[in-house]
Amino acid sequence: MEVPSGVATDRVVDFDIFNPPGVETDYFSAWQSLVRPDGPGMVWTTANGGHWIATRGDVVRSLWADSERLSSEVLAVTPGLGEMMKFIPLQQDPPEHGPFRLSVMKGLASRYVVALEPKVAEVTRELIAAIKPAGACEFVEEFAEILPLHIFLTLIDVPLSDRPRLRALGAQLTRPDGSMTVEQLRDAADDYLRPFIEARMANPGEDLFSRIFVAGVDGRPWTMDEARRMCRNLLFGGLDTVVAMIGMITLHLARHPQDQTYLRAHPELLPQAADELMRRYPTVSVSRNAVVDMEIDGVQVRAGDIVYLPSVLHNLDPSAFEAPEEVRYDRALNPTRHTTLGAGAHRCVGAGLARMEVIVFLREWLANMPDIRLDPDKPVRMKGGNVGACTALPLIWN
């Protein structure tokens, strides 16, 4: 795509968000390659049809929360994805999205998250018991891809045996490989969800979807189209982000055995340790499209332009956090300060659930596993996309 008129050459890059240079070995360094000392806060990439990328922490943070000039309808850089998915409430803008988001938040109220904590601990211990005797594991395949999906499928009360099928759909949304069109991806999700939606709308139970349906939308029932779009949103939202989060956190522990020792000795610090590790290893990025012509960081952004907002470039910006690449368990950190789980009106509706899962994982893993380290004979592999992740994390222990 042509570079917009008036954009200086130092603002133009050829940066593919799905495959940043060097992402296979270090997702974070790959993204930080965009940042230059005293460099611009916005750049234009010619990749993927051309779009803006916010590269400075203050710009990322302010635009993430700007729902007046930027719309969430576009969803992603992937052509056609937003038009096909029409997620509720993720692709809605205020004030329309407010009543829908409120209903989803009621379904994910803190009392339900607290009630689920014993199940998270139970599944974590079961997975540990399965891998521990071997002295080694491929953590992503044997643990990270199982725990969060197990919990989410329990939450929506669908068969746990469906996990591999759904995991494949989640990967196609955030890291598409071209094997499915966006229409095929949407239809596959809808075909899977349809019988569950129809059953829960007719006879609500105690699962997450049922609780949301019972809450209604601003005093009225959900329509079938709205219910399908909302369940589609929650399904994809629950399939990838926590998997990536747990993978990155475990990679840190494997690289820093002293942190394993320290956290075992200070279990009271696990909640703030979870917050700090989530801040340090963010992998979620979002797309927004401008609804008006505006100036951002000295460049003219036209109505309709896509602006890409990577949480990694906010969380690892020294102007946003002191020594951001250091993990400091005594860092005074409100979880809403970092953008790992979003910011503003579209902060992740499942943020409380995700945080609880990470805390419980850390508690049970450190209590029941010996010191872990990376297998020196097998490489760590990573992948880019709207949710970056470890795709291979080989661990060993004595």
Side-chain angles (χ1 to χ4, degrees):
M1 182 177 182
E2 292 185 3
V3 177
S5 61
V7 177
T9 55
D10 67 340
R11 299 265 188 169
V12 180
V13 296
D14 180 17
F15 188 91
D16 183 352
I17 61 171
F18 298 108
N19 191 29
V23 71
E24 298 87 355
T25 55
D26 192 332
Y27 170 88
F28 304 96
S29 292
W31 269 102
Q32 288 175 296
S33 68
L34 274 180
V35 181
R36 303 190 300 273
D38 302 319
M42 289 276 286
V43 297
W44 176 270
T45 177
T46 55
N48 297 300
H51 60 88
W52 295 102
I53 302 176
T55 57
R56 200 172 64 230
D58 61 324
V59 179
V60 173
R61 176 74 187 195
S62 64
L63 295 183
W64 204 305
D66 188 342
S67 56
E68 293 186 2
R69 299 182 302 167
L70 297 170
S71 171
S72 300
E73 289 186 4
V74 69
L75 181 63
V77 170
T78 307
L81 190 62
E83 292 88 339
M84 284 294 173
M85 291 300 175
K86 296 183 179 179
F87 287 145
I88 288 178
L90 183 62
Q91 287 180 257
Q92 295 173 310
D93 297 318
E96 178 194 23
H97 102 300
F100 292 96
R101 179 181 172 87
L102 180 60
S103 292
V104 176
M105 294 294 288
K106 287 179 179 178
L108 285 164
S110 59
R111 66 180 181 274
Y112 299 121
V113 172
V114 171
L116 195 59
E117 185 172 329
K119 183 65 175 179
V120 178
E122 175 190 344
V123 176
T124 303
R125 289 193 293 266
E126 289 175 355
L127 292 173
I128 289 172
I131 65 173
K132 187 175 178 180
C137 76
E138 203 307 292
F139 183 80
V140 174
E141 179 182 344
E142 297 180 53
F143 197 104
E145 289 190 343
I146 299 177
L147 174 63
L149 271 67
H150 189 120
I151 299 306
F152 182 74
L153 298 185
T154 299
L155 193 62
I156 62 176
D157 193 21
V158 303
L160 299 179
S161 57
D162 293 345
R163 180 182 58 81
R165 172 185 176 187
L166 297 176
R167 174 63 181 147
L169 295 182
Q172 287 298 323
L173 181 82
T174 56
R175 296 181 293 278
D177 63 9
S179 62
M180 297 180 74
T181 67
V182 291
E183 184 174 12
Q184 288 171 333
L185 180 59
R186 180 202 63 188
D187 292 347
D190 287 354
D191 289 346
Y192 176 79
L193 288 168
R194 184 175 295 108
F196 299 108
I197 294 173
E198 292 173 350
R200 309 295 163 67
M201 292 186 79
N203 296 290
E206 299 299 321
D207 61 280
L208 174 60
F209 289 166
S210 293
R211 294 196 297 264
I212 296 171
F213 293 149
V214 168
V217 182
D218 205 16
R220 64 166 177 81
W222 288 78
T223 68
M224 180 57 72
D225 178 65
E226 292 166 348
R228 185 166 51 246
R229 292 165 59 194
M230 180 274 294
C231 292
R232 189 190 297 157
N233 190 166
L234 292 189
L235 177 69
F236 282 117
L239 290 180
D240 216 39
T241 52
V242 182
V243 174
M245 196 178 296
I246 288 177
M248 291 298 186
I249 288 173
T250 305
L251 174 61
H252 173 88
L253 294 177
R255 285 175 169 168
H256 300 86
Q258 71 277 12
D259 283 18
Q260 300 176 55
T261 302
Y262 180 78
L263 291 175
R264 285 192 186 97
H266 299 280
E268 73 280 2
L269 295 180
L270 290 180
Q272 64 198 72
D275 292 331
E276 172 66 350
L277 289 165
M278 286 191 286
R279 177 206 64 81
R280 172 58 182 85
Y281 296 102
T283 61
V284 174
S285 302
V286 298
S287 302
R288 298 285 188 262
N289 59 302
V291 295
V292 295
D293 292 342
M294 55 184 171
E295 181 179 312
I296 303 173
D297 189 53
V299 296
Q300 292 297 317
V301 176
R302 303 165 302 184
D305 283 355
I306 293 177
V307 183
Y308 199 70
L309 307 175
S311 60
V312 60
L313 297 187
H314 169 251
N315 288 8
L316 298 185
D317 186 335
S319 66
F321 297 94
E322 182 182 358
E325 296 192 36
E326 295 181 15
V327 170
R328 297 179 175 179
Y329 297 119
D330 60 350
R331 193 188 296 267
L333 184 67
N334 184 316
T336 61
R337 272 196 63 211
H338 61 68
T339 44
T340 300
L341 295 168
H346 283 287
R347 178 171 161 78
C348 176
V349 292
L353 175 62
R355 183 174 183 267
M356 180 273 284
E357 288 185 68
V358 171
I359 293 171
V360 174
F361 161 70
L362 285 171
R363 185 184 71 211
E364 298 299 331
W365 183 269
L366 293 168
N368 293 287
M369 283 291 289
D371 283 349
I372 58 169
R373 58 192 186 277
L374 296 177
D375 187 333
D377 298 323
K378 298 177 182 178
V380 173
R381 295 293 185 201
M382 300 186 187
K383 195 168 185 179
N386 298 314
V387 181
C390 284
T391 56
L393 180 50
L395 301 178
I396 57 174
W397 54 87
N398 294 333

